[in-house]
Amino acid sequence: MIEIGSRARTLPAPLAAVWDSLVEPHRPGSRSWLVLLADEVEPRVLAAEKPGRVVWSSLWPSRPDDEVQFALSPSRDGGTLLRFTLLTPAEAPDESKTGHLRRRLNQLLFADLRFSYGQ
């Protein structure tokens, strides 16, 4: 697998809440955060090991074999350190597409998911 991108940031929610959000993003009673663009599809959970690992299928039909791996760990402030790593078994996309994929994951996780926790 080739790494296309990776980034880690803290989220204000506790580890269990972030894990639940990644495994079941449309859980009843939770705030909506996984809002997809026209060129994206709902990811499937390929693997989930509570509390520290989740793997999603690709969000992009044009890149069906890509995976998004998440590593979760507690942060010092009681929140969660979330790292995503975007991987592909194929060739890495061109620079423009790579930038788009990274930006979308950053937006979904470190803006939309973060704001779903009220912060």
Side-chain angles (χ1 to χ4, degrees), residues 9-22:
R9 293 283 187 264
T10 57
L11 296 174
L15 189 65
V18 176
W19 191 88
D20 287 344
S21 294
L22 294 172

Side-chain angles (χ1 to χ4, degrees), residues 21-110:
S21 294
L22 294 172
V23 171
E24 193 176 357
H26 304 292
R27 187 178 65 243
S30 65
R31 292 182 184 174
S32 177
W33 67 272
L34 188 61
V35 179
L36 303 172
L37 299 178
D39 69 336
E40 298 171 341
V41 295
E42 189 83 16
R44 289 177 294 109
V45 175
L46 302 176
E49 299 166 17
K50 198 168 192 173
R53 181 174 182 265
V54 177
V55 180
W56 278 0
S57 64
S58 177
L59 285 81
W60 302 279
S62 65
R63 301 198 51 84
D65 297 325
D66 293 354
E67 291 183 358
V68 184
Q69 295 186 3
F70 300 102
L72 300 86
S73 58
S75 63
R76 293 181 192 158
D77 62 1
T80 301
L81 177 65
L82 174 65
R83 172 176 295 282
F84 79 79
T85 304
L86 179 58
L87 300 165
T88 187
E91 283 189 42
D94 64 37
E95 195 172 313
S96 175
K97 183 70 168 184
T98 297
H100 170 72
L101 302 178
R102 289 177 187 159
R103 274 190 303 279
R104 279 301 291 153
L105 287 170
N106 280 316
Q107 174 68 41
L108 289 170
L109 300 168
F110 303 128

